[in-house]
Amino acid sequence: MSQFQEKTEITRIERLTPDVFRITLESSEIASRARPGQFVMVRTGDGKDPLLRRPFSISQTSSGKYFQILFKVIGRGTSMLAHCREGEYLSILGPLGSGFTFDCKADNCLVGGGMGIAPLLFLGKSMLRNCTLKPPTIVLGARNKEELAPLIKDFKELGLSVYPATDDGSLGTHGLVTDILKGLDLAPTCKMSVCGPTPMMTAVHLFCKKKEISCQVSMETAMACGMGACLGCIVPLAKGGYAHACSDGPVFDAKELLWQVR
Ligand SMILES: Cc1cc2nc3c(=O)[nH]c(=O)nc-3n(C[C@H](O)[C@H](O)[C@H](O)COP(=O)(O)OP(=O)(O)OC[C@H]3O[C@@H](n4cnc5c(N)ncnc54)[C@H](O)[C@@H]3O)c2cc1C
Ligand code: FES
């Protein structure tokens, strides 16, 4: 798999909420090779602070030339990214990791929580392009309407069926994404693709296990190198031992992972 490290120009920055931003970058090398579920490692500053690159899912590509990342400001690196300006350059390494797989004959259901929604837009678009007869069902959750509404917009514009859930009931179902899944008439041949906080992915995995539905999850563990060279991103496996989320994943068959069930 080809990876590139290059200075990419920021062609657009959008502020979607007070702390969620979308950056469009120009790189035909990365955009033309990226697959849904892959990520990039971004150097967020010119100097040594922060020293390590930060991982972000590729949230969509366009014209084989541009790709976008969608991020929430949570610490030093993302705060620096939020202060970037159009026309500036960012050092990017990617595309990295395994992507989602999909079967156009199956009923596909994409389930995202919070910023885990980012890679699902790319996946949903790919499915729409390739699986014209069976568009995916989209189930998205977040804390409230302010956080979720801007993330849903892109899926709706594609004409996809979106089922929203919010913790406070301000948009869609008042509750969790699993509350929506329980009410959907999902075929046993359905294939679930999930990205979000670990408790949410654990709950979706348990739901799928009970219903014997296939489930793939994207693990957004903290990462240091992004290339399998350190142990910064290990995830425990059901059969024992560990996998690197960056190079063996970030997308795994949920059954292969060891889940902490309380
Ligand atoms: C494969 C992958 C894809 C990702 N895609 C996206 C994306 O599309 N959009 C997005 O907003 N974020 C995404 N993330 C998470 C993103 O990388 C972190 O939010 C970012 O690195 C934080 O950097 P920072 O310097 O701002 O915060 P830091 O100062 O590094 O961290 C601030 C706090 O957040 C915690 N933290 C850092 N990274 C994570 C993490 N991955 N999970 C949980 N807690 C963490 C730290 O322990 C610390 O407490 C992804 C992570 C991975 C591994
Ligand atoms: S982040 Fe270094 S091995 Fe995965």
Side-chain angles (χ1 to χ4, degrees), residues 223-233 244 246:
M223 288 183 183
C225 71
M227 300 186 73
C230 67
L231 294 174
C233 65
H244 290 103
C246 65

XYZ file of all heavy atoms in Angstrom, residues 223-233 244 246, ligand 2:
84
model
N -2.560 7.258 19.214
C -1.474 6.730 18.369
C -0.256 7.634 18.450
O -0.393 8.851 18.555
C -1.930 6.651 16.908
C -2.920 5.561 16.658
S -3.347 5.474 14.914
C -4.569 4.168 14.971
N 0.922 7.011 18.341
C 2.159 7.797 18.371
C 2.802 7.859 16.985
O 3.026 8.937 16.447
C 3.125 7.202 19.387
N 3.066 6.687 16.385
C 3.761 6.705 15.084
C 2.786 6.525 13.909
O 3.019 7.031 12.827
C 4.843 5.616 15.041
S 4.183 3.942 14.946
N 1.735 5.742 14.114
C 0.749 5.500 13.054
C 1.182 4.479 12.024
O 0.480 4.239 11.044
N 2.341 3.838 12.254
C 2.878 2.945 11.213
C 3.346 1.587 11.739
O 4.144 0.922 11.094
C 4.057 3.623 10.532
C 3.682 4.932 9.874
S 5.027 5.593 8.964
C 5.084 4.508 7.563
N 2.928 1.205 12.939
C 3.317 -0.110 13.452
C 4.695 -0.162 14.071
O 5.217 -1.239 14.326
N 5.291 1.010 14.344
C 6.673 1.022 14.832
C 6.794 1.195 16.344
O 7.878 1.071 16.896
C 7.454 2.118 14.123
N 5.683 1.496 17.031
C 5.753 1.607 18.497
C 4.627 0.726 19.051
O 4.070 -0.064 18.316
C 5.568 3.061 18.933
S 3.926 3.728 18.627
N 4.335 0.843 20.340
C 3.215 0.045 20.862
C 2.102 0.980 21.337
O 1.277 0.611 22.160
C 3.700 -0.837 22.014
C 4.700 -1.931 21.638
C 5.218 -2.635 22.894
C 4.049 -2.948 20.713
N 2.101 2.181 20.784
C 1.186 3.213 21.274
C -0.284 2.900 21.068
O -1.131 3.466 21.742
N -0.596 2.009 20.156
C -2.001 1.878 19.738
C -2.567 0.476 19.932
O -3.566 0.142 19.306
C -2.083 2.228 18.259
S -1.173 1.043 17.251
N -1.937 -4.028 16.441
C -1.699 -2.588 16.309
C -2.919 -1.976 15.619
O -3.227 -2.354 14.484
C -0.479 -2.311 15.426
C 0.820 -2.697 16.060
N 1.511 -3.831 15.727
C 1.536 -2.079 17.018
C 2.612 -3.889 16.457
N 2.653 -2.842 17.250
N -3.090 0.872 14.351
C -2.683 1.688 13.194
C -2.406 0.865 11.939
O -2.803 1.260 10.848
C -1.479 2.550 13.546
S 0.015 1.628 13.900
S 0.867 4.074 16.709
Fe 2.870 3.260 16.745
S 2.459 1.148 16.439
Fe 0.538 2.055 16.158
